[in-house]
Amino acid sequence: VQLQASGGGLVQAGGSLRLSCVASGRTVSNSAMAWFRQVPGKERMFLAAISSSRSTNYRDSVKGRFTISRDNAKNTVSLQMNDLKPEDTAVYYCAAKTGAPLSGSKLYHSWGQGTQVTVSS
């Protein structure tokens, strides 16, 4: 499966962005989907994941600000990000795996190319 992330950009602190990830090649309706982010020199960080049955798993630091959702008919997963902070600046990646919506990046077998999010203060 190929994943294509989009929706990144430059936003002021306190603003919102909605990231989207479209899957192609096969359906991901039975896959867990997740969002990660990465800044230079650091490991990729788990943010949120959603199972095929729409159960969710969030990193504590983004609970209440980020919301993950999916549209199986469109083969997409989205990440709504509100109240963005400068420390949210990173490249954001979507990913897919079979089974449960877990947080370990090494468990995910398919990755999108990343979309840059920059939050100015």
Side-chain angles (χ1 to χ4, degrees), residues 9-17 37-40 42 45 65-66 81-92 116-121:
L10 174 64
V11 63
Q12 289 188 332
S16 298
L17 280 175
R37 71 187 182 196
Q38 189 171 25
V39 297
K42 293 193 175 182
M45 177 191 295
R65 295 195 300 128
F66 292 7
M81 306 186 294
N82 299 327
D83 190 24
L84 284 162
K85 307 176 187 301
E87 52 264 40
D88 293 319
T89 295
V91 178
Y92 284 68
Q116 175 71 46
V117 172
T118 303
V119 184
S120 63
S121 56

Side-chain angles (χ1 to χ4, degrees), residues 5 9 12-13 28 30-31 36 41 56-57 61 68 76 80 85 87 92 115 118 120:
Q12 289 188 332
V28 291
N30 294 321
S31 299
F36 292 76
T56 56
N57 178 16
S61 62
I68 191 170
T76 62
Q80 176 67 40
K85 307 176 187 301
E87 52 264 40
Y92 284 68
T115 184
T118 303
S120 63

Side-chain angles (χ1 to χ4, degrees), residues 56-72:
T56 56
N57 178 16
Y58 288 96
R59 185 179 194 81
D60 285 347
S61 62
V62 304
K63 284 181 180 177
R65 295 195 300 128
F66 292 7
T67 303
I68 191 170
S69 61
R70 67 190 299 159
D71 184 337
N72 288 335

